[in-house]
Amino acid sequence: MLQALDIFLKRWMLRLKIFSFLAATWAVFFSVFTIMGLRAGFEYDDGLVFSTPAYKTAQKSGTEPGSKDHWNAVNRAYKLERSKPAVLLTAWLFRVFGFKVDIICQRDPAGSDSLTQSWKPLAGGFLFVSDENGKYELLEKQRFTVYFAVSDSDVIQARKAGVWAVRIRKNKRSVLPGEATPRKFQEPVLPLSEF
């Protein structure tokens, strides 16, 4: 009886020690990364989500592409978009380890209130840019550490800004323009990120 109790207590003490070690290690990483102010940026369209259904809905509404009404229709159809599990998990991993996570979206912010609110738990900021040059200026000004990019031009903008770029694979069914050739610039590619 006493021997069984001894084995039980030793087993639980070992588990407690392992848990304490892992918690302390996480706390060190979290503290250091938070104090350093490290930031991770994630491309929204075809990055964090497969956004083709929202764009198709806006296209069917008959609004002129590029107009405020068009972007309003796209942004309000965010519930039709599907999150990409590998990218979402990566974003949460960065957040848990103390990085400030921001989502970058090359759209007009018209009608995006609900969209930005839905990403509040993950992202500290939901940043809208009008073009690729705006993306470069944002990456450089905000001093991102890493940027998860979809298109070749996104990788180029990140490299110009001195930000480490990681490629997210574009879904084959995407209707969004922009050439996406993984490893074209010898950048790392996030596995399973096309789904």
Side-chain angles (χ1 to χ4, degrees):
M1 175 76 174
L2 289 176
Q3 189 177 9
L5 182 61
D6 183 50
I7 291 171
F8 176 78
L9 290 175
K10 284 181 179 176
R11 184 179 305 144
W12 279 100
M13 286 304 291
L14 178 63
R15 289 178 182 169
L16 180 62
K17 286 179 186 177
I18 291 170
F19 174 76
S20 298
F21 175 75
L22 291 174
T25 304
W26 167 81
V28 168
F29 279 113
F30 184 84
S31 301
V32 169
F33 293 162
T34 302
I35 290 168
M36 290 176 66
L38 299 182
R39 297 176 75 128
F42 286 82
E43 182 64 34
Y44 183 73
D45 289 323
D46 282 335
L48 270 173
V49 298
F50 175 63
S51 53
T52 293
Y55 280 89
K56 284 184 174 179
T57 300
Q59 192 176 29
K60 288 177 186 173
S61 69
T63 59
E64 182 184 336
S67 68
K68 291 277 187 191
D69 291 334
H70 171 76
W71 290 119
N72 188 21
V74 171
N75 290 332
R76 296 226 181 263
Y78 74 94
K79 289 186 179 179
L80 300 174
E81 300 169 337
R82 184 179 45 83
S83 297
K84 292 180 164 183
V87 183
L88 190 61
L89 181 63
T90 303
W92 274 109
L93 190 64
F94 272 83
R95 172 110 169 143
V96 164
F97 274 95
F99 278 73
K100 182 173 188 226
V101 174
D102 290 315
I103 298 171
I104 300 172
C105 190
Q106 193 169 327
R107 297 181 181 180
D108 187 272
S112 65
D113 310 345
S114 299
L115 170 65
T116 56
Q117 220 32 47
S118 69
W119 287 95
K120 278 285 186 213
L122 171 64
F126 202 103
L127 312 168
F128 292 92
V129 293
S130 57
D131 58 8
E132 292 168 3
N133 191 48
K135 195 173 291 185
Y136 158 72
E137 291 171 357
L138 178 71
L139 290 170
E140 187 176 52
K141 181 181 174 188
Q142 300 286 338
R143 296 178 47 201
F144 282 86
T145 306
V146 60
Y147 178 56
F148 288 81
V150 177
S151 69
D152 295 345
S153 62
D154 291 343
V155 174
I156 291 169
Q157 300 309 322
R159 293 250 172 109
K160 276 183 10 185
V163 176
W164 188 50
V166 177
R167 179 75 71 146
I168 298 172
R169 290 183 185 271
K170 190 174 187 176
N171 192 302
K172 290 177 176 71
R173 295 178 292 144
S174 174
V175 297
L176 299 179
E179 192 173 324
T181 314
R183 292 191 181 30
K184 182 176 183 177
F185 305 104
Q186 286 78 45
E187 76 280 5
V189 177
L190 187 65
L192 302 172
S193 57
E194 66 270 23
F195 304 111

